[in-house]
C-alpha cells in the first residue's frame, strides 16, 4: 500500500539524497545511487542500487519503495523499467539555479516538509545573493568550464550561473541554454578564440590532467594556460544540480578566481 508522505524512497542521483538529509528526512531513504557521497555517512547507512544510467531493478523492487526519485532523460530507460513494474516515480530535470531551488521545495512538499524546504531554499538564495554582491578587485576574469575532454563539452547551465555569481565571466554563456551534452560540444578553436583567464575542469568523475589541457595544439597562448590557472573542481561538488553546487561548488569556483573562498 502506498504511503503519503512516502516512507520508503529510492534516490537514483546524489542531489535528492543530500537534500533529504538536509531536511532531516533521511530515514525515508532505503536505497541510493553509487555516486551518493554527501553527507559522508550515506555510504555506510544506505544500500547502493544504481550507477547513473544503469540500475539494479530487482534490488530496487526488493526494497519495496513508495517512491523512486530520478533525474533527466539520461535515466529514462531505468524509469521506464520501474514504471512497467508499477513503481511510483518522480523525475526531476533541473538545469539551472532556479530549477535546483524548485527541486528542493518540490521534494520538501513530497515528503511533508514544505516549510523546512522553503527555509533551506531561502537560505541558499540569501547565500547566493550575498556572494554575488561581494565587491571584487579588478576586472572580471574570463572563465572556461570544461565538463568533458573528448569531445570538449562546456556550458552546463547552473555552472555558468555560478561562475557569474562568483564574480567571473563565462566565456561561452550561450551554451547554458542547451540541456543536452551533445549540444554543448565545442571546438578547440572556440576556446582559443575566447582566451579565458581561468580554466575550470571537472571531467565527470574522471581525474583532470592539467598537462593534457596545456598540450592541446595552440592552447599555450591562452592566458589561463600561460599563467598556470587550470583548476580541477571535483565533480561531486559541481556536476550535481543540488545543494553541493550551491555551497562547496560555488566556494571552489570563487577560490579559483580570487584565491579565497567567499
Amino acid at each position: 500500500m502506498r504511503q503519503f508522505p512516502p516512507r520508503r524512497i529510492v534516490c537514483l542521483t546524489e542531489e535528492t539524497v543530500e537534500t533529504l538529509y538536509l531536511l532531516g528526512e533521511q530515514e525515508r531513504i532505503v536505497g541510493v545511487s553509487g555516486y551518493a557521497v554527501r553527507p559522508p555517512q550515506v555510504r555506510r547507512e544506505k544500500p547502493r542500487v544504481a550507477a547513473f544510467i544503469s540500475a539494479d531493478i530487482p534490488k530496487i523492487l526488493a526494497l519495496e519503495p513508495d517512491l523512486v526519485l530520478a533525474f533527466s532523460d539520461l535515466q529514462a530507460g531505468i524509469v521506464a523499467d520501474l514504471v512497467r513494474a508499477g513503481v511510483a516515480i518522480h523525475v526531476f530535470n533541473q538545469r539551472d539555479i532556479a530549477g535546483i531551488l524548485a527541486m528542493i521545495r518540490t521534494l520538501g512538499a513530497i515528503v511533508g516538509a514544505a516549510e523546512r524546504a522553503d527555509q533551506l531554499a531561502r537560505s541558499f538564495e540569501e547565500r547566493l545573493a550575498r556572494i554575488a554582491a561581494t565587491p571584487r578587485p579588478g576586472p572580471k576574469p574570463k572563465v572556461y568550464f570544461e565538463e568533458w575532454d573528448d569531445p570538449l563539452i562546456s556550458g552546463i547551465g547552473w555552472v555558468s550561473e555560478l561562475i557569474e555569481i562568483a564574480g567571473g565571466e563565462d566565456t561561452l554563456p550561450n551554451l547554458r541554454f542547451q540541456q543536452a551534452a551533445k549540444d554543448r560540444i565545442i571546438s578547440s578553436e572556440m576556446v582559443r578564440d575566447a582566451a579565458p583567464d581561468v580554466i575550470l575542469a571537472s571531467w565527470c568523475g574522471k581525474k583532470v590532467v592539467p598537462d593534457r589541457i596545456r598540450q592541446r595544439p595552440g592552447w599555450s597562448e591562452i592566458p589561463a594556460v600561460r599563467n598556470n590557472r587550470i583548476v580541477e573542481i571535483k565533480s561531486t561538488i559541481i556536476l550535481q544540480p543540488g545543494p553541493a553546487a550551491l555551497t562547496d561548488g560555488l566556494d571552489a569556483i570563487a577560490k579559483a578566481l580570487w584565491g579565497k573562498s567567499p
Side-chain angles (χ1 to χ4, degrees):
M1 197 170 74
R2 294 229 168 97
Q3 302 286 331
F4 182 83
R7 282 199 307 216
R8 300 180 64 79
I9 298 175
V10 168
C11 300
L12 297 180
T13 53
E14 186 182 56
E15 62 279 351
T16 49
V17 173
E18 184 172 12
T19 300
L20 286 169
Y21 269 88
L22 288 170
L23 293 174
E25 298 290 338
Q26 65 270 23
E27 293 307 311
R28 299 179 189 278
I29 302 171
V30 294
V32 298
S33 155
Y35 292 104
V37 295
R38 294 171 63 95
Q41 64 264 36
V42 72
R43 303 194 80 160
R44 297 192 306 274
E45 294 176 353
K46 307 295 179 183
R48 296 194 278 283
V49 298
F52 184 54
I53 55 172
S54 63
D56 188 332
I57 302 295
K59 197 170 181 181
I60 292 172
L61 297 177
L63 290 169
E64 300 182 340
D66 300 316
L67 180 66
V68 172
L69 299 173
F71 172 73
S72 88
D73 55 311
L74 293 171
Q75 295 194 326
I78 304 170
V79 168
D81 288 344
L82 291 169
V83 167
R84 288 188 195 104
V87 177
I89 299 193
H90 186 100
V91 184
F92 287 104
N93 211 0
Q94 69 275 15
R95 307 289 181 146
D96 53 20
I97 289 173
I100 293 171
L101 296 167
M103 176 274 290
I104 292 167
R105 289 183 165 106
T106 302
L107 185 50
I110 286 171
V111 299
E115 201 172 308
R116 258 173 296 143
D118 188 54
Q119 287 170 354
L120 180 63
R122 219 164 326 133
S123 73
F124 288 140
E125 286 168 336
E126 288 163 5
R127 183 177 199 273
L128 296 172
R130 189 173 69 247
I131 293 169
T134 303
R136 305 286 183 191
K140 291 182 175 184
K142 292 193 293 181
V143 183
Y144 162 63
F145 177 77
E146 186 168 289
E147 183 191 341
W148 193 245
D149 62 325
D150 185 21
L152 297 184
I153 299 178
S154 184
I156 202 161
W158 65 88
V159 179
S160 181
E161 292 177 291
L162 291 172
I163 287 167
E164 291 178 356
I165 288 168
E169 178 191 330
D170 184 1
T171 54
L172 301 166
N174 293 334
L175 289 178
R176 73 168 66 162
F177 304 109
Q178 304 295 334
Q179 290 198 4
K182 65 179 172 54
D183 297 326
R184 292 185 278 106
I185 293 172
I186 57 167
S187 68
S188 185
E189 290 71 31
M190 285 171 73
V191 183
R192 283 206 317 248
D193 293 346
D197 301 302
V198 181
I199 293 173
L200 304 178
S202 186
W203 290 350
C204 253
K206 182 173 76 171
K207 188 160 176 55
V208 170
V209 185
D211 271 348
R212 223 181 280 166
I213 295 174
R214 286 188 200 99
Q215 288 160 10
R216 290 174 187 160
W219 281 42
S220 58
E221 288 311 301
I222 292 175
V225 176
R226 217 172 43 231
N227 298 320
N228 202 28
R229 296 191 71 186
I230 301 170
V231 180
E232 177 179 18
I233 297 184
K234 296 275 183 257
S235 52
T236 49
I237 62 169
I238 199 64
L239 294 182
Q240 319 282 354
L246 305 185
T247 54
D248 294 353
L250 175 55
D251 291 358
I253 293 172
K255 189 173 184 187
L257 302 194
W258 306 108
K260 58 181 181 180
S261 297

